[in-house]
Amino acid sequence: MNSDSYGFLSELVNSHSPSGTEKESALVWKKIVGKTCEDVRVDVHGNVIGVMHKKGSPRVMLAAHIDEIGYMVKFIDKEGYLYFSTIGGVDPHLIPGQRILIKGRKGDVPGIIGRKPIHLQESDEAKKVAAIKDLWIDIGAKNKKEAEKAVSVGDPAIPAVGFGELMGKRIVGRGFDNRAGAFVVAESLRLMDRKKLKASVHAVATVQEELGLRGARTSTYGISPDIGIAVDVAFATDFPGADKRTVGDIKIGAGPVITRGPNINSKLFDLMVKTAENAKIPYQVQAASRGTGTDANVMQLTRSGVVTGLIGIPNRYMHTQVELVDTSDLDNAARLVARVVEKLDGRTDFVPY
């Protein structure tokens, strides 16, 4: 990964994008995609759509959601404590004791998530996962009036952690699900050989995936692609206690994950595998026996149906503040997406039988 791409990735991961308030991350992505696409626009839902080779055929959509999980301020009490709800699938075990940043109207407001100290808890209470209603955000305000000068009901918040490096090519951060995929889509555009490109490529940073694939549903309907490829994170299972019998054998650093199953067009799957092998791109296969929990799900079912594929980035510790990926998987996923799109010329019959 070159230094410019690495800088883009770190900026993307450090930006804020809780579902419904993706603007900060979306603008980072929009700026980069604008360097390769003929046209970049934002739709009424907030999806960012970049178009390359507009008059080409077939019409191909590349989708990766740019939103992340987080919190939202629900109520401010008279002492200035904030009560909150979760945005998306937050693990309740990990909430107490977090440092957070609230996106206030006047700027970022630091805070912490508080809970009754363990010394003051009853024995049964100490053994239970704390209910959201029994937690609060402390921004250091003396009272409600002072708190309301900084924050408002409805303000989103995220854990106050960002991009970091571990050993080798391993990197860690908040919200690689799915800024990793958004990075791969943008990077694949940079890698595409325009001389080989026959397809019209519509790259989309979709919004509100964590709330039910909402942005992919609206953007796919508007674009009406012939072929759709979603890029998202995939569960790595190379950690202690992982049950590979139910999830599969997926390793960090072993290459992008190509999904196979009813959510995926079988001929597009075969094309992805053949492309990876011919280009000597390492890859892994994951079985999904039903609709996936990704943008690929709604892409496949839009209008009269879309030829759909799914490429995953192996990710450890998903939906935590320390999601872990390998930069080699990001590089190889971008290469794979680019090479597959270059092969789409409108002549392949994707009808499965």
Side-chain angles (χ1 to χ4, degrees):
M1 186 177 295
N2 65 40
S3 59
D4 287 343
S5 297
Y6 196 81
F8 164 49
L9 176 61
S10 62
E11 183 180 8
L12 194 61
V13 172
N14 284 328
S15 61
H16 296 210
S17 60
S19 302
T21 52
E22 298 92 348
K23 180 179 179 180
E24 190 172 316
S25 292
L27 291 180
V28 172
W29 194 85
K30 182 175 183 283
K31 177 181 65 177
I32 293 297
V33 171
K35 296 179 180 180
T36 54
C37 289
E38 304 155 20
D39 176 56
V40 183
R41 64 184 177 87
V42 180
D43 69 16
V44 70
H45 206 169
N47 301 295
V48 184
I49 303 169
V51 183
M52 178 187 288
H53 201 221
K54 190 172 185 177
K55 296 182 179 179
S57 180
R59 186 185 295 256
V60 177
M61 177 175 169
L62 306 177
H65 76 89
I66 204 163
D67 59 312
E68 62 176 315
I69 59 175
Y71 309 106
M72 178 176 285
V73 176
K74 294 281 287 185
F75 171 69
I76 305 173
D77 74 10
K78 63 182 181 180
E79 286 82 21
Y81 295 110
L82 318 179
Y83 292 84
F84 62 95
S85 59
T86 56
I87 299 173
V90 177
D91 185 345
H93 293 81
L94 305 177
I95 298 177
Q98 285 189 24
R99 293 173 181 258
I100 65 165
L101 285 176
I102 302 168
K103 182 62 71 172
R105 293 179 181 177
K106 297 179 182 179
D108 292 345
V109 180
I112 55 174
I113 297 180
R115 184 189 183 188
K116 186 193 302 182
I118 192 168
H119 315 71
L120 304 180
Q121 296 174 24
E122 301 293 335
S123 59
D124 289 345
E125 186 179 7
K127 297 175 183 178
K128 296 178 181 178
V129 177
I132 300 295
K133 66 181 180 62
D134 295 326
L135 302 174
W136 57 86
I137 297 171
D138 189 339
I139 61 172
K142 295 177 181 178
N143 51 47
K144 182 176 182 177
K145 183 177 181 180
E146 188 171 74
E148 288 181 333
K149 291 179 180 179
V151 299
S152 303
V153 169
D155 284 347
I158 55 169
V161 293
F163 185 89
E165 298 177 345
L166 300 179
M167 298 177 69
K169 296 183 178 181
R170 308 292 164 84
I171 52 178
V172 63
R174 181 204 82 249
F176 273 117
D177 179 10
N178 182 41
R179 271 86 65 88
F183 168 82
V184 165
V185 168
E187 188 75 352
S188 73
L189 297 175
R190 185 181 68 81
L191 296 177
M192 288 178 195
D193 186 339
R194 291 173 182 264
K195 293 180 181 178
K196 296 181 179 179
L197 201 59
K198 301 293 190 298
S200 170
V201 183
H202 297 249
V204 189
T206 65
V207 297
Q208 298 188 36
E209 189 267 0
E210 298 291 356
L211 304 183
L213 317 178
R214 294 161 62 85
R217 188 184 305 274
T218 57
S219 58
T220 308
Y221 189 93
I223 293 168
S224 191
D226 302 301
I227 299 167
I229 299 174
V231 183
D232 209 323
V233 287
F235 293 108
T237 57
D238 55 349
F239 61 87
D243 189 350
K244 298 178 182 180
R245 297 170 301 174
T246 59
V247 184
D249 187 8
I250 304 299
K251 298 181 177 67
I252 293 282
V257 179
I258 305 176
T259 299
R260 183 183 185 191
N263 195 172
I264 307 304
N265 179 275
S266 59
K267 290 187 176 180
L268 181 55
F269 169 81
D270 291 342
L271 176 63
M272 289 179 170
V273 168
K274 183 177 180 180
T275 300
E277 292 175 346
N278 289 344
K280 297 185 178 353
I281 299 171
Y283 70 93
Q284 307 174 76
V285 174
Q286 185 173 54
S289 57
R290 60 190 68 190
T292 64
T294 72
D295 285 345
N297 198 340
V298 295
M299 293 173 77
Q300 182 191 36
L301 303 175
T302 298
R303 294 185 184 264
S304 59
V306 175
V307 174
T308 302
L310 174 60
I311 292 176
I313 313 301
N315 181 3
R316 287 187 196 146
Y317 321 125
M318 203 179 300
H319 280 208
T320 75
Q321 303 92 324
V322 290
E323 296 187 0
L324 187 155
V325 301
D326 191 300
T327 57
S328 69
D329 291 331
L330 297 172
D331 288 336
N332 284 319
R335 289 175 58 212
L336 178 57
V337 172
R339 300 294 86 85
V340 168
V341 172
E342 288 168 0
K343 292 181 178 298
L344 299 173
D345 56 12
R347 294 197 295 266
T348 302
D349 181 7
F350 286 102
V351 175
Y353 46 81

